[in-house]
Amino acid sequence: MKTGKSSAGDTKARILDATEKLFTEVGYEATSLRQVTSRAIVNLAAVNYHFRSKDIMMHAVLSRRLDPLNARRLALLDACEARWPGNSIRCEHVMGALFVPALQMARDPSVGGPSFLRLLGRVYSDTSPFIQQYLLEHYAPVYGRFFDAFSRAIPALPRHELGWRLQFALKALAGVLAGEELTNLLPAFTQGRQMSDAHVLAQLTAMVEAVLNVAQPSADDFSALQSVFELGEQQQARERASRLAAARSADELSASCAAMAATMGDAASQTAAALGKARISARTVRNEGTKRSAVTSMPVRAREQTVSFPSNPLDDWMRMRTRT
């Protein structure tokens, strides 16, 4: 029966494993606590209990893998510098000290496993500020040691030139490693042939060393590229002029349409006003005709006013006499 302590340890390990896989697949920014809890089959309270935040959890993930890796790297570099002191050390020796421990951990499931190289490639190729700051704070001394070793291995290359070349070469290599696990990466390099890890690393080292030792661009190289830039600028200028001409034509067409619409609107307003006046006149005529018809149809007696004359007293007396 498992104790509470071992159960808590299992939960923490599941959270770290789930976070590591998600980070390797989608990077730091896209890794969410909800995805972690779903993949680790734990609730959010367990994540908060063990780590309190996503950043603390990611620190634990990276330290769990990169701290042992860098410890092995520095130990192997010490051994290489003791074996080949000073400028006798070669670029292959330094590259070996940098990548042999990573290949060893990728072969050992207990400390990394086949997906370890993908994790390593993701760490060095992830552009999120959190990962970049973490590497700067935790592994700057390690990088400084290896930079000095590369400087002794390639003394003819100025340090400032070595810096950006080394960063470019290792970033490109990290991008390759981030896309494939070790089991998929080896066949791509071996092309079906039987190769040891040393052969594979020799091929990788050859590509990195080619970048580090490539000759400085000549005047002809600069002139050729400058000509291409000038052609590109001319093409861009023509495209910009074409866009401006098209925009000007569109503005002129829009203004013409607006003027035409305004003219048609004035004509329509005048027509509407004339129609309105005609309707009013017609309505007035109809009303006057209706009034005349009403007057004409009235009875004659209704239309004739009764005329009253003063009465004759003699007639009044005769009518009264007859009644009596």
Side-chain angles (χ1 to χ4, degrees):
M1 180 177 179
K2 292 183 178 181
T3 63
K5 184 176 180 180
S6 63
S7 298
D10 292 342
T11 299
K12 185 175 182 179
R14 289 206 314 274
I15 294 172
L16 290 175
D17 290 341
T19 305
E20 180 180 313
K21 290 178 181 178
L22 282 168
F23 169 69
T24 301
E25 293 170 5
V26 300
Y28 172 78
E29 297 294 346
T31 299
S32 67
L33 293 180
R34 178 176 297 179
Q35 292 173 316
V36 171
T37 57
S38 176
R39 184 165 295 196
I41 316 177
V42 297
N43 55 34
L44 187 59
V47 176
N48 292 330
Y49 172 77
H50 288 289
F51 301 106
R52 300 195 305 277
S53 71
K54 175 182 173 180
D55 289 354
I56 294 176
M57 184 173 64
M58 283 301 307
H59 271 278
V61 168
L62 298 177
S63 297
R64 182 178 68 158
R65 300 302 188 201
L66 297 186
D67 285 351
L69 171 66
N70 285 328
R72 294 189 183 193
R73 283 172 163 174
L74 291 175
L76 189 54
L77 181 60
D78 289 339
C80 289
E81 290 175 333
R83 179 78 175 270
W84 299 282
N87 291 338
S88 62
I89 195 169
R90 293 169 55 92
C91 185
E92 289 80 6
H93 299 146
V94 184
M95 282 290 293
L98 192 62
F99 280 99
V100 164
L103 290 173
Q104 290 174 337
M105 293 181 69
R107 297 288 190 187
D108 187 355
S110 65
V111 293
S115 62
F116 178 72
L117 289 182
R118 286 194 65 197
L119 171 66
L120 190 61
R122 173 65 73 178
V123 168
Y124 291 118
S125 60
D126 195 293
T127 58
S128 65
F130 171 82
I131 297 298
Q132 296 300 313
Q133 185 64 29
Y134 179 85
L135 291 176
L136 182 64
E137 292 176 356
H138 290 76
Y139 302 116
V142 177
Y143 178 79
R145 280 287 312 278
F146 275 89
F147 183 80
D148 290 338
F150 275 114
S151 296
R152 292 193 301 274
I154 315 175
L157 192 64
R159 289 178 65 89
H160 67 86
E161 189 75 15
L162 173 65
W164 77 262
R165 290 190 184 196
L166 188 61
Q167 184 177 14
F168 174 82
L170 295 180
K171 284 281 187 180
L173 185 56
V176 174
L177 298 178
E180 297 288 347
E181 291 187 357
L182 180 62
T183 53
N184 298 326
L185 183 64
L186 290 180
F189 283 101
T190 61
Q191 299 293 312
R193 295 169 292 172
Q194 292 293 328
M195 283 191 179
S196 65
D197 288 351
H199 283 93
V200 174
L201 186 55
Q203 287 191 330
L204 296 176
T205 302
M207 290 186 290
V208 173
E209 193 170 357
V211 174
L212 297 180
N213 289 313
V214 68
Q216 291 278 4
S218 65
D220 291 339
D221 297 333
F222 172 78
S223 177
L225 284 173
Q226 183 63 32
S227 299
V228 176
F229 272 105
E230 291 172 359
L231 288 175
E233 290 173 357
Q234 292 172 8
Q235 184 180 22
Q236 189 177 28
R238 286 194 297 270
E239 292 175 354
R240 188 181 300 111
S242 178
R243 288 196 298 268
L244 290 174
R248 190 179 298 110
S249 298
D251 291 341
E252 291 174 355
L253 179 60
S254 177
S256 177
C257 291
M260 185 180 298
T263 302
M264 294 177 65
D266 292 342
S269 299
Q270 294 174 1
T271 303
L275 289 174
K277 290 180 180 179
R279 291 193 187 97
I280 293 172
S281 299
R283 191 179 300 115
T284 303
V285 171
R286 285 198 302 271
N287 292 340
E288 291 177 355
T290 302
K291 291 179 180 178
R292 285 197 299 269
S293 299
V295 172
T296 305
S297 61
M298 291 176 60
V300 175
R301 291 183 179 179
R303 287 186 283 117
E304 293 179 352
Q305 295 182 359
T306 303
V307 181
S308 299
F309 296 97
S311 60
N312 190 334
L314 180 60
D315 291 338
D316 293 339
W317 180 80
M318 289 297 295
R319 282 197 296 271
M320 292 297 295
R321 190 170 182 274
T322 303
R323 291 175 185 169
T324 56

